[in-house]
């Protein structure tokens, strides 16, 4: 007996549903008019009421029937109801038994609406409401139903997405309507998807030709279907499936290598972002800023603050956070420089201790002023999900943005150091402070600017990290040691070294990880750096010339 | 003899005098006073003081390398923890079949995770002499290998500090792994006996406290002996001008290696005495934060004075005990503030304050000067 | 001179009157609170300190117990494990508290355990843990593995039809043990070894790309796959984020978590998590009057309309009420009397039922499976038909299969071996010491 993705006793008659949906769609226009003109008094004999009450009352084992009834009623509001149901937003008022849609379910009082008329019913205490239960299994089936609805959408992208959703969810009752759909469909990629979806079902049924359809597919569901076929009792089918799988494996290998490289570069870009500010303050100024991690943290909290200021606009807030994060961290940097670091000129080890103290103070400040809890930073829509290259290779968007952001920040910093007056002065002061001063450069001002720049870049790193990890008081601590490793490995005072070091350490780590596990990979990288420093005490790209002696 | 020379020194005599007087007073107050007396020192306090003394010994070890060799080690917690683990392994083996699962050989956490036999590196730890040798040898060996590689290739200054930090961080991650066979995050606990004495009695606690005091005294005298010997003078030369010392024909790396290893062993002893008193050893002792904190004890007390390290360790930890009891939120502010204020305004620490006051009355003759505030990093 | 004399006189008079007052009213019952208020665990533990303080205030408003007030003694072990032992000693030996509510991590409990046993204290431990322990002096009000992990796996197997399992956890003792137990349990249920994937990550792990990609690959083998997650605290946010971004939805590969509660979700954008699961003995969304009252009180106590409640808070609520009941029953706060009296005590829990203290110092609890919703709450999709009694010693670990705990006389043993008929060495020794 082959295991099936959906247990048979749970499948309800989908053909009926499809038909009814089609019917309902043809009636859409008329229905829309009628719902708008529906008088409130007509609610009593609204058939929807009975349907919803039925859904609320039936035992868990018969929920499918209730859904079935809603869909086959052809009611044009069905989609809204089912969506609300799928999102846990369908509730019942304890006293009256009326079914309502919950619009806002935060806090103790919830905002509700009438599902029949769409009328807002104001707020109601959560105690008075009884949620209509749903679980993953039913939610999965709802998704299938909604996907079937979308197959008729006018936008081919929506059709393709819904066809993709159908993969692995096709059962006997769906074959016929899907085939009909295939006849009508003109878009090639949607056709492809439907064909694959059908083939997955047919392979399960022992169809040999269907194996050929799946042979080139990288979709995990297709592979799952073939894997099952390999285990079947039909030797011809098992054989053929095995060949198909072998060719897929070949393609997968390449994809997997590309994926690992992407993982490595992505981790590397995080390391570069975290370390690059340090490369400036440490490498150029010789200040060991242990509070660097906390400057990153400030950047991340700025993002959170921005999102609080602009509720409902996470994307806009994130974009505003880029300059804001820079300014906040840079200001903090200036304060640190003026209040502590300027008194410790030429005593690098003492700056280490003092800035470590500052890092403790900043952490505790955030705990006391904001909260010891992590804060929620929302990922904007355009940064969630992934960029699909093919079925087996997709690049997660948030990391892709961070990678690009890291490269932009790096390029901008290089420009500043190479092409601007500030950069020139910074390099002059680094190489020979006394000489630079006698040439009329205000070394103190350059110090402040450099430190502000390095700190600001740390703030930028924080803005980016808020999209990848926790925003909390410990954020900085998690990155400080890694950042130092990157800078030291790359060679102090060399921005290119930091870039190469960050990216290569990230890649090494990700290459090792599948083989050694996450912890051991990290330990190996650390030991590697320790040994490397013994071999080349000044890092990958040691600074040459007089500056090296400073 | 280099070891007896410090005993003739005024400062060492005062230090030992104060230390032994404190030991005697605490012992007397604990044993002779009735429990309801205001002067009574409870077993809780005795253990607390014992812990401070362990920290003090660790601080002395750090001061030896930082104050007299110019190496800012941010990884001495690693040696401390390894010494502690060596002791912890001995104590674990002493539990014998009294563990929860009653296995005569395997510690509870191994039975728990289905280990079939003792890993080889646990062998021998049932014997006290072997374990006590390992308390010295394990940290010493690590320091030897690490120092040999680092000093030979002349890794100095900031770079050295950062790779010591990487060392302790890597060890922390390693010890957190349950596959290592050191109990993972839970570490080693539930100790019962040490050398046949029940660890859960007040008498044993007092004994450990006194032993720690004596260890501190010995450690102090050894360090003092080193820094006043010819070797000590060379190491100070290395600290202040490494390149010049090398050009004068001194094998700088050997001096550094020797002092570094001695310091690591002292840290190991401190860890070994710490574990039976607090009753647990776990990888968090390896955390880089702890190692940096130790440096601040030394900085507060006064670098390159040794007794300053002791004062710093005891003061900061006493403050920690008080603060975390009274106003927990303020503790990190206070500690952080301490870091900043000491480095900016009090570069010579409390000992520096004391010394500058004394200077008017008499000239110090045998005490090497504290390091110059600007140090060569190349 | 005269002024100083007056002040002195005044002070001594004040002192005198104070001592008289103290003599008039009976000494308060001292309740020690041993939760980290700083350091890494402060995130989780601070709310538990507040919970106990709230419960004490409420009890005092109702007139205390045995005519005595309750007084909280708060210390901060600062997420430092040796400090936990030190502070426990301070509470018991210096402050002479009658009972301690405290600890979160297993390691902190292990650190405190010898102290509590030596000084004969009482400790209520409110967090789900790995089991394999039963101390005369500790009451475990959180879930043992059989009150969380096993029912959750049963649910996935029977209701969702899961056949392939990823056991992912943070590398410490709780996930290690839970996964060991689950592995044995699953294999007993006929799951093949190659259908189980076990993965451990360090604390605070943030780069999940590789592991999530592995899980995805593991899940494409043609069988319904689920992830059983014992991933701890901070590491969860990047984990779920990576899951969402790599396109793994709850209907493809559901994740059931044992360490993600309302508190943790309050730091996450829950949008992409909807439908993933958690197994606990309490959810804030539970529909019962006791729960609504508790939430109202909590919001009032914290002054924060958004404040959330979670499972360990319920455990303290139960533990605290059990202690009060036991003190009433014993008529004294004497530790040995309370220890005897508390076995069998039943108090209401927040999910509309009752919790009973069992002879093995664990309590009975219902097991609930909840789905994450977009408002940071869980909706209960399944629960055990009745409460489950906590099992100190797992039936699925070879070393502890034959062990049971029973702290009633005459057995009075935390690890009684039913095969040999002997009490485990440690407890036996303790009993012998007591007999002397």
């Amino acid at each position: 007996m082959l295991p099936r993705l959906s247990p048979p006793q749970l499948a309800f008659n989908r053909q009926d549903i499809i038909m009814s949906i089609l019917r309902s769609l043809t009636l859409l226009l008329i229905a829309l008019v009628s719902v708008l003109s529906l008088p409130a008094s007509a609610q009593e004999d609204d058939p929807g009421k009975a349907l919803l009450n039925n859904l609320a009352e039936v035992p868990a084992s018969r929920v499918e029937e209730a859904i079935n009834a809603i869909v086959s009623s052809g009611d044009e509001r069905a989609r809204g109801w089912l969506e609300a149901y799928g999102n846990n937003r369908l509730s019942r008022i304890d006293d009256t038994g009326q079914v309502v849609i919950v619009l806002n379910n935060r806090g103790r009082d919830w905002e509700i609406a009438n599902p029949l008329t769409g009328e807002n019913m104001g707020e109601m205490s959560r105690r008075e409401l009884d949620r209509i239960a749903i679980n993953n299994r039913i939610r999965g089936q709802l998704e299938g139903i909604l996907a079937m609805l979308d197959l008729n959408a006018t936008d081919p992208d929506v059709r393709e997405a819904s066809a993709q959703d159908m993969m692995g969810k096709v059962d006997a009752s769906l074959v016929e309507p899907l085939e009909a759909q295939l006849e009508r469909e003109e878009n090639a990629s949607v056709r492809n998807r439907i064909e694959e979806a059908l083939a997955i079902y047919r392979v399960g049924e022992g169809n040999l030709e269907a194996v050929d359809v799946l042979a080139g597919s990288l979709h995990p569901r297709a592979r799952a279907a073939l894997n099952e076929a390999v285990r079947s009792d039909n030797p011809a089918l098992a054989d053929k499936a095995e060949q198909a799988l072998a060719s897929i494996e070949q393609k997968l290998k390449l994809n997997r290598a590309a994926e690992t490289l992407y993982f490595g570069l992505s981790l590397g870009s995080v390391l570069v972002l975290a370390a690059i500010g340090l490369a400036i303050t440490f490498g150029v100024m010789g200040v060991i800023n242990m509070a660097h991690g906390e400057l990153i943290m400030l950047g991340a909290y700025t993002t959170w603050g921005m999102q609080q200021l602009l509720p409902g606009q996470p994307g806009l807030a994130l974009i505003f956070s880029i300059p804001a994060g820079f300014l906040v961290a840079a200001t903090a940097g200036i304060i640190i420089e003026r209040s502590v670091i300027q008194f410790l000129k030429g005593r690098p080890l003492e700056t280490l201790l003092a800035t470590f103290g500052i890092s403790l103070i900043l952490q505790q400040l955030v705990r006391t002023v904001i909260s010891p809890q992590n804060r929620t930073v929302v990922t904007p829509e355009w940064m969630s999900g992934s960029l699909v290259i093919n079925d087996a290779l997709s690049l997660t968007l948030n990391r892709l943005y961070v990678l690009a952001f890291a490269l932009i920040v790096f390029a901008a910093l290089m420009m500043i150091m190479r092409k601007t007056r500030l950069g020139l002065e910074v390099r002059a002061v680094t190489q020979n402070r006394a000489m630079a001063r006698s040439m009329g450069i205000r070394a103190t001002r350059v110090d402040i600017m450099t430190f502000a720049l390095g700190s600001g870049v740390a703030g930028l790193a924080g803005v980016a990290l808020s999209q990848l990890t926790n925003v909390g008081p410990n954020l900085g601590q998690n990155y400080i040691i890694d950042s130092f490793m990157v800078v030291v490995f790359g060679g102090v005072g060399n921005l290119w070294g930091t870039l190469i070091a960050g990216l290569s350490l990230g890649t090494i780590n990700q290459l090792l990880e599948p083989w050694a596990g996450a912890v051991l990979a990290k330990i190996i990288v650390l030991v590697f750096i320790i040994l490397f420093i013994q071999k080349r005490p000044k890092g990958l790209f040691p600074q040459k010339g007089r500056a090296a002696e400073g | 003899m280099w070891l007896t020379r410090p005993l003739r020194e005024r400062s060492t005599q005062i230090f030992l005098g104060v230390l032994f007087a404190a030991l005697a007073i605490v012992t007397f107050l604990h044993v002779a006073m009735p429990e309801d007396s205001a002067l009574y020192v409870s077993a809780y306090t005795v253990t607390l003081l014992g812990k401070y003394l362990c920290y003090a010994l660790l601080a002395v070890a750090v001061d030896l390398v930082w104050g007299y060799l110019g190496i800012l080690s941010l990884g001495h917690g690693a040696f401390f923890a390894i010494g502690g683990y060596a002791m912890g392994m001995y104590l674990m083996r002493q539990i014998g079949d009294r563990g929860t699962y009653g296995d005569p050989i395997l510690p509870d956490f191994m039975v728990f995770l289905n280990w079939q036999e003792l890993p080889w590196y646990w062998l021998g730890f049932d014997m006290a002499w072997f374990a006590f040798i390992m308390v010295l040898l394990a940290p010493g060996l690590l320091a030897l290998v690490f120092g040999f590689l680092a000093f030979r290739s002349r890794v100095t200054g900031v770079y050295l500090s950062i790779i010591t930090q990487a060392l302790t961080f890597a060890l922390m991650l390693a010890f957190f792994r349950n596959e290592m066979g050191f109990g993972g995050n839970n570490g080693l606990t539930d100790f019962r006996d040490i050398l046949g004495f029940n660890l859960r009695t007040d008498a044993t606690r007092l004994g450990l406290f006194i032993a720690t005091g004596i260890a501190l005294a010995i450690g102090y005298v050894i360090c003092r002996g080193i820094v006043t010997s010819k070797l000590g003078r060379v190491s100070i030369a290395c600290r202040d001008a490494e390149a010049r010392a090398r050009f004068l024909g001194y094998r700088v790396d050997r001096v550094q290696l020797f002092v570094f290893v001695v310091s690591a062993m002292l840290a190991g002893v401190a860890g070994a005495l710490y574990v039976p008193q607090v009753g647990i050893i776990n990888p968090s002792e390896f955390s880089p934060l702890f190692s940096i904190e130790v440096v601040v004890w030394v900085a507060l007390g006064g670098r390159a004075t040794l007794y300053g390290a002791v004062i710093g360790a005891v003061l900061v930890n006493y403050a920690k005990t008080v603060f975390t009891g009274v106003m927990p939120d303020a503790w990190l502010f206070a500690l952080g503030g301490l870091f900043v204020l000491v480095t900016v305004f009090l570069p010579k620490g409390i000992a520096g304050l004391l010394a500058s006051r004394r200077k008017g009355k008499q000239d110090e003759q045998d005490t090497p000067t504290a390091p110059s505030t600007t140090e060569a990093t190349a | 001179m005269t002024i100083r004399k007056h002040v002195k006189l005044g002070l001594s008079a004040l002192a005198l009157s104070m001592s008289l007052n103290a003599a008039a009213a009976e000494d308060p019952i001292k309740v020690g609170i041993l939760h980290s208020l700083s350091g890494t665990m402060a995130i989780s533990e601070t709310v538990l300190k507040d919970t106990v303080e709230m419960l004490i205030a409420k009890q005092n408003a109702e007139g205390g117990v045995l005519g005595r007030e309750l007084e909280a003694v708060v210390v901060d072990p600062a997420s430092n494990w040796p400090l936990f032992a030190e502070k426990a000693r301070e509470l018991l030996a210096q402050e002479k508290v009658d009972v301690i509510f405290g600890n979160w991590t297993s390691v902190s409990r292990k650190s405190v355990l010898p102290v509590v046993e030596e000084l004969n204290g009482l400790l209520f431990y409110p967090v789900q843990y790995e089991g394999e322990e039963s101390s005369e002096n500790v009451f475990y009000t959180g879930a043992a593995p059989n009150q969380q992990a096993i029912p959750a796996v049963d649910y996935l197997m029977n209701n969702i039809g899961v056949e392939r399992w990823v056991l992912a956890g943070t590398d410490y003792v709780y996930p290690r043990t839970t996964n060991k137990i689950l592995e044995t349990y699953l294999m007993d249920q006929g799951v093949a070894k190659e259908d189980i994937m076990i993965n451990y990550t360090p604390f605070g792990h943030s780069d999940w790309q590789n592991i999530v990609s592995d899980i995805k690959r593991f899940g494409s083998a043609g069988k319904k796959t689920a992830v059983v997650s014992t991933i701890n605290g901070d590491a969860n946010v990047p984990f779920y984020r990576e899951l969402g971004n790599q396109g793994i939805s709850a209907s493809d590969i559901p994740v059931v978590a044992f360490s993600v509660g309302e508190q943790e979700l309050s730091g996450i954008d829950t949008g992409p998590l909807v439908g993933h699961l958690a197994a606990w003995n309490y959810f804030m969304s539970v529909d019962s009057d006791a729960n609504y009252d508790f939430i109202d009180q909590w919001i009032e106590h914290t002054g924060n309309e958004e404040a959330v409640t979670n499972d360990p808070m319920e455990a303290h609520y139960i533990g605290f009420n059990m202690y009060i009941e036991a003190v009433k029953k014993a008529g004294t706060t004497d530790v040995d009397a309370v220890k005897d009296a508390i076995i069998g005590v039943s108090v209401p829990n927040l999910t509309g039922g009752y919790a009973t203290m069992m002879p093995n110092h664990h309590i009975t609890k219902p097991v609930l499976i909840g789905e994450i919703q977009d408002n940071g709450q869980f909706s209960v999709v399944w629960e055990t038909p009745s409460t489950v009694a906590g099992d100190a010693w797992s039936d699925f670990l070879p070393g502890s299969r034959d062990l049971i705990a029973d702290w009633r006389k005459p057995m009075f043993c935390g690890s009684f071996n039913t095969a040999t008929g002997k009490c485990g060495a440690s407890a036996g020794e303790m009993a012998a010491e007591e007999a002397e």
Side-chain angles (χ1 to χ4, degrees), chain A residues 3-5 7 10 86-89 94 105-108 110 126-127 129-131 133-137 139-140 143 169 220-221 223-225 227-228 231 256 259-260 262-264 266-267 364 367 372-379 383-386 391-392 394 396-399 465-470 473-474 477-479 509-511 513-514 517-519, chain C residues 38-40 42-44 46-47 155 159-160 163 171 200-202 204-211 213-214 216-217 219-224 233-238 241-242 244-247 249-252 254 263 265-270 274-277 284-287 289 291-293 295-296 299 305-306 371-377 379-381:
Chain A
R4 297 169 56 107
L5 284 161
L10 305 175
N87 292 333
N88 270 318
R89 296 299 180 94
D94 275 345
N105 59 358
R106 281 171 198 280
R108 283 184 287 182
W110 290 358
R126 176 185 150 195
R127 284 183 192 231
L129 292 168
D130 211 3
R131 192 178 53 86
I134 181 167
N135 59 34
N136 264 335
R137 197 190 66 220
R139 188 176 292 118
E143 278 167 13
K169 287 178 186 158
R221 298 259 191 213
R223 240 176 319 139
N227 268 320
E228 266 183 57
R231 290 193 291 267
R256 225 166 270 168
E259 192 187 50
T260 309
Y262 173 69
F263 290 165
S266 153
L267 177 62
Q364 194 58 28
R367 278 198 196 99
Q373 313 282 339
N374 290 337
R375 299 283 93 186
T376 311
V377 174
V378 181
T379 307
M383 268 185 90
S384 347
S386 43
D391 280 337
S394 47
T396 45
L397 276 178
N398 60 349
R399 287 180 177 274
L465 281 175
S466 73
Q467 293 302 315
L468 297 180
T469 185
N470 293 293
N474 299 330
Q477 282 197 318
N478 299 333
Y479 287 92
N509 197 320
Q510 292 293 328
L511 284 177
E513 204 182 290
V519 195
Chain C
S38 56
T40 48
I43 292 181
S44 308
T46 314
V47 291
Y155 167 78
N159 295 42
I160 312 257
E163 295 173 278
D171 190 3
Y200 292 106
T201 39
H205 191 60
S206 63
D207 194 282
W208 290 91
Q209 306 181 82
N210 244 312
I211 293 164
S213 156
D214 274 351
K216 206 166 151 187
R217 210 169 299 141
S220 65
K223 292 177 179 172
K224 181 72 183 171
D234 270 4
N236 277 300
V237 175
R241 245 191 204 156
E242 192 69 36
N245 285 333
Q246 291 203 19
S249 73
S251 52
D252 298 327
Q263 195 76 44
L265 287 186
S266 69
I268 313 184
D269 167 19
T270 45
V274 171
H276 285 302
L277 305 158
M284 187 181 176
S285 64
V286 162
D287 191 13
D289 280 334
N291 182 34
Y292 290 131
D293 292 340
I295 295 170
D296 288 345
I299 287 175
E305 190 65 30
E306 308 270 293
E371 274 182 11
I372 298 175
Q373 288 178 263
D374 56 357
N375 61 350
Q377 292 287 329
S379 72
V380 178
V381 292

Side-chain angles (χ1 to χ4, degrees), chain C residues 139 322 342-345 356-364 388-390 405-408:
Chain C
F139 296 92
M322 280 183 165
I342 199 168
I343 291 175
V345 162
T356 309
M357 179 60 72
M358 304 305 283
N360 62 359
H361 286 188
H362 290 61
I363 67 172
T364 56
V388 180
D406 192 332
W407 290 109
R408 288 172 302 189

Side-chain angles (χ1 to χ4, degrees), chain B residues 35 42-45 47-48 51-52 55 97-102 111-114 173 176-179 183-187 189-192 198-202 205 274 278-280 282 284-285 320-322 324-325 328-329 331-332, chain C residues 37-39 74-76 78 80-83 85-87 89-90 93-94 96 105-111 113-114 117-118 130-133 171-173 176-177 180 200 202-203 393 397-400 403 415 424-427 429 433:
Chain B
E35 267 198 47
S42 67
Y44 162 75
T45 315
T47 309
L48 205 60
K51 190 178 90 171
Y52 294 167
Y55 285 150
D97 62 2
R98 286 168 297 172
T100 331
Y101 297 102
V111 182
F112 196 38
L113 295 174
N114 290 350
L173 290 177
F176 264 126
R177 299 183 72 228
N178 274 286
E179 285 94 347
N185 181 49
N186 269 18
T189 52
D190 204 20
F191 308 134
R192 281 148 208 272
N198 188 344
L199 268 173
R200 297 179 186 183
T201 59
D202 290 351
R205 289 203 183 95
Y274 171 81
V278 301
I280 181 171
N282 134 298
S284 56
E285 307 296 339
K320 191 174 191 168
T321 307
V322 173
T324 51
D329 283 344
W331 167 240
L332 280 181
Chain C
L37 311 178
S38 56
V74 182
V75 289
D76 175 27
N80 176 330
W81 319 135
L83 209 54
E86 188 182 309
K87 292 290 173 187
R89 190 172 289 280
E90 184 183 332
Q94 304 282 100
K96 309 245 184 274
T105 58
S106 275
V107 55
S108 70
R109 191 190 67 251
K110 291 275 185 207
S111 169
L113 192 64
E117 286 182 349
E118 178 194 326
E130 67 278 2
E132 302 298 290
E133 189 181 297
D171 190 3
Y172 70 106
V173 70
R176 287 259 171 196
T177 317
K180 271 247 137 66
Y200 292 106
F203 284 95
W393 303 98
L397 288 176
S400 61
L403 298 179
S415 53
S426 61
E429 182 202 44
E433 268 172 24

Side-chain angles (χ1 to χ4, degrees), chain A residues 255-313:
Chain A
N255 281 314
R256 225 166 270 168
E259 192 187 50
T260 309
L261 186 68
Y262 173 69
F263 290 165
L265 290 179
S266 153
L267 177 62
S269 68
V270 171
L271 291 176
V272 169
L273 259 183
I276 196 109
L278 202 64
I280 295 172
T281 49
F282 178 31
V284 178
M285 283 180 76
V287 172
I288 306 172
N289 184 12
M290 293 299 274
H292 181 75
E294 277 59 41
L295 293 170
I296 296 178
M297 177 190 77
L298 285 183
Y301 271 97
T302 309
T303 316
W304 169 75
M306 265 303 165
Q307 290 196 345
Q308 298 306 105
L309 284 179
L310 295 170
Q313 301 261 29

Side-chain angles (χ1 to χ4, degrees), chain C residues 303-335:
Chain C
N304 174 9
E305 190 65 30
E306 308 270 293
V308 294
T309 58
N310 63 9
D311 183 272
M313 284 170 63
E314 192 222 12
H316 261 343
Y317 170 86
I318 295 172
F320 183 84
N321 288 337
M322 280 183 165
Y323 177 72
I324 297 294
E325 284 308 310
V327 168
K328 279 185 196 158
K329 197 169 142 194
T332 163
T333 55
D334 176 71
V335 168

